[in-house]
Amino acid sequence: MGVETALLAATAASSLLAAGGAVMGGMQQKKMADYQAAQAEADAEAAKSAARVEAERIRKAGAAQAAQANAAYAASGVETGSGTALRITSGIVGDAEEDATMTILNGQNAASRYRAQGQADRISGRNAATSGYISAGSSLLSSGAKAYSGWKTAQDKPASKTGASTNNLFGNMGIH
């Protein structure tokens, strides 16, 4: 095997390694992005669940506070089912429900942000994989062009090893 052939083979091998590395790098980035997307989706569900639990806690605390107010009114002889006592206990329950609803909405907003991040992570992963394939293709094409250029240059060299002109019939056949 000649030096030119060895160089072309080395160039081709290095190009294949570079192409394989580019594809593998892109696939690893995609796997990581998919993992991050799955984590963001899990965080979204956790945010929604935590908001529901907190909303329920707020409702129970509001109901307990309203019950304490009713008990205090009843103990002092005030009728609890009408008038000011009713407005106060209804206000306590209403405020608790408003807080619970805001907590749920905040949880849904956080979940939406996590899901959007998950979508962005998946897009990033697909882009990384595509970039790896493009880089691999570019590496292979570049190597092919170099190999062709090297082959073409080797073909264009004179057949004579002495450096003499090969313009005669016998020189072109390798006979001197």
Side-chain angles (χ1 to χ4, degrees):
M1 177 173 4
V3 173
E4 285 110 6
T5 305
L7 288 173
L8 291 175
T11 301
S14 113
S15 174
L16 286 174
L17 284 174
V23 169
M24 290 304 294
M27 294 309 293
Q28 284 302 109
Q29 287 178 331
K30 183 181 182 309
K31 284 181 185 178
M32 180 53 84
D34 286 345
Y35 170 79
Q36 289 171 330
Q39 186 61 48
E41 288 171 359
D43 290 344
E45 288 306 311
K48 280 177 47 179
S49 294
R52 284 193 299 267
V53 167
E54 179 63 13
E56 189 57 32
R57 188 197 65 74
I58 290 169
R59 286 181 180 121
K60 285 180 182 178
Q65 189 176 10
Q68 287 174 348
N70 270 340
Y73 289 136
S76 65
V78 176
E79 184 180 330
T80 59
S82 65
T84 303
L86 179 61
R87 279 191 307 247
I88 290 174
T89 56
S90 294
I92 292 170
V93 171
D95 289 346
E97 185 57 35
E98 183 180 332
D99 289 348
T101 301
M102 289 305 297
T103 299
I104 289 172
L105 290 176
N106 288 338
Q108 289 173 343
N109 288 340
S112 293
R113 286 190 302 275
Y114 286 127
R115 282 196 190 92
Q117 181 61 51
Q119 289 173 341
D121 288 340
R122 281 206 167 74
I123 290 168
S124 174
R126 284 193 299 269
N127 289 346
T130 300
S131 176
Y133 288 123
I134 290 170
S135 181
S138 173
S139 178
L140 291 173
L141 288 173
S142 174
S143 175
K146 286 179 186 174
Y148 176 75
S149 174
W151 175 79
K152 190 70 175 150
T153 301
Q155 293 297 331
D156 292 343
K157 286 186 179 178
S160 170
K161 295 184 186 212
T162 62
S165 174
T166 58
N167 289 334
N168 67 42
L169 177 64
F170 296 113
N172 288 334
M173 288 190 238
I175 301 172
H176 300 288

